[in-house]
Amino acid sequence: MSLETFKMRVLPVKDKLYRFAYRFLKDEDEARDIVQEVLIKVWNQRDEMHHLENMEAWCMRVTRHMSLDRLKSKQY
């Protein structure tokens, strides 16, 4: 994935990912951290992303898992 592809396919869903993470965490800073981690994860795995048909759905799933993991870590 090139930088241009990243900008076209991933960055437009950034706000949606933030809202999704915020619904789980109820904390603006935590939600921003989760979105940043997701974007970094996508960028670091960009060479393996060419087979994904729906990048937004994959990003949403990763955001959900990271948010739930963050909630679990706060409980213990």
Side-chain angles (χ1 to χ4, degrees):
M1 175 186 319
S2 68
L3 179 59
E4 291 303 316
T5 305
F6 182 82
K7 287 179 182 179
M8 287 178 8
R9 291 183 70 192
V10 180
L11 289 184
V13 300
K14 182 178 71 163
D15 292 337
K16 186 175 184 178
L17 297 176
Y18 168 78
R19 290 189 304 269
F20 190 57
Y22 182 78
R23 275 189 248 147
F24 283 103
L25 301 168
K26 306 291 189 242
D27 185 309
E28 292 179 5
D29 292 332
E30 292 284 338
R32 277 191 221 106
D33 288 346
I34 292 293
V35 172
Q36 185 175 17
E37 289 176 27
V38 170
L39 294 177
I40 290 170
K41 183 173 186 143
V42 170
W43 182 251
N44 288 339
Q45 296 181 0
R46 66 188 173 273
D47 294 334
E48 301 161 16
M49 297 290 173
H50 57 85
H51 68 281
L52 288 177
E53 290 181 27
N54 193 340
M55 179 70 69
E56 180 179 342
W58 187 85
C59 289
M60 294 290 282
R61 186 170 54 237
V62 171
T63 301
R64 178 178 179 268
H65 288 284
M66 286 184 163
S67 297
L68 291 174
D69 287 346
R70 184 74 52 100
L71 285 173
K72 285 180 194 175
S73 70
K74 284 185 169 187
Q75 289 177 351
Y76 293 110

